[in-house]
Amino acid sequence: MEIKHNIGFVTLLLTIIAGYCDTVTFVAAGSIFSAHVTGNFIVFAYQFVKGSDMNAWIKLLTFPVFILAVITGGQIARKVVNHYKILLLEGVFLLLAGILVAVLDYNEMFSHIMMYFVVMMTVFAMGLQNAFGKLYAKETHGPTTMMTGNVTQASLDFGMLLKSGFSDADAMTSLKKQLILIIGFLIGCFLGAYAGKYFGLVTLIFPGLSMIICYYYHRKI
């Protein structure tokens, strides 16, 4: 059965999860972006210039992992009727990443190697979400992992509203959609910053579980 969904809800959920994951890995795992992986170029270059150790090179590993995830998402899209299964797999990866931290950290086995492995699992999950956004652009109000384009569109919409005296209905509708994306991502960033600082990567359990629950809940509606 195909998931019955609300585009606004899906958009808000995905942006919150992307903002959360991007921030929690940055805060709790050596300044690595998991959703907006191009940001890792900047961090890597900065750490390289500072003369950082080999750990800085780990950031470059996010790119092949991300690419593999996008390819995987594309392959899944060709084989399944319900394309939301891409997001279900994303939720599974995030949930397993959080559980892995909980189990290993509890047994005092959580090393830097395992931390980076968990981060790469998160990058893979975010790659799946990026693939979903590209393959099914009409399922959300816009890109859910990168806000630059959404802020640009929101600015253009606001400019049109100013010019029309706030009477342009199309611009108003578009602006509302962009605000869902931007505000959702910002909420996720705040939640991820708090969770990453005080609890660490184990909190990846929550976005993973949320994604899985929402998937199965909407199948039953």
Side-chain angles (χ1 to χ4, degrees), residues 141-214:
H141 292 321
T144 59
T145 59
M146 298 174 289
M147 293 299 110
T148 304
N150 298 325
V151 173
T152 300
Q153 185 60 55
S155 301
L156 292 172
D157 294 334
F158 188 67
M160 288 296 296
L161 287 172
L162 289 176
K163 182 179 179 181
S164 65
F166 290 87
S167 61
D168 189 323
D170 291 337
M172 180 62 75
T173 299
S174 179
L175 179 60
K176 290 178 179 178
K177 292 177 180 179
Q178 302 311 311
L179 288 177
I180 291 175
L181 289 156
I182 296 167
I183 293 173
F185 192 85
L186 183 60
I187 291 172
C189 288
F190 273 107
L191 293 174
Y194 181 85
K197 179 179 180 180
Y198 293 104
F199 303 103
L201 295 175
V202 69
T203 58
L204 290 168
I205 288 174
F206 299 116
L209 196 58
S210 298
M211 185 76 80
I212 293 170
I213 291 173
C214 287

Side-chain angles (χ1 to χ4, degrees), residues 103-114:
V103 172
L104 294 182
D105 201 28
Y106 177 77
N107 290 298
E108 299 182 354
M109 293 173 53
F110 198 67
S111 65
H112 274 78
I113 294 176
M114 289 308 304

Side-chain angles (χ1 to χ4, degrees), residues 1 4-5 7 13 17 25 34 39 71 73 89 95 99 136 144 148 150 165 172 198 204 211 214-215:
M1 182 185 298
K4 296 181 180 179
H5 61 279
I7 292 178
L13 176 65
I17 287 177
T25 56
S34 55
I71 293 173
L89 183 60
L95 179 61
I99 291 174
Y136 308 108
T144 59
T148 304
N150 298 325
M172 180 62 75
Y198 293 104
L204 290 168
M211 185 76 80
C214 287
Y215 173 84

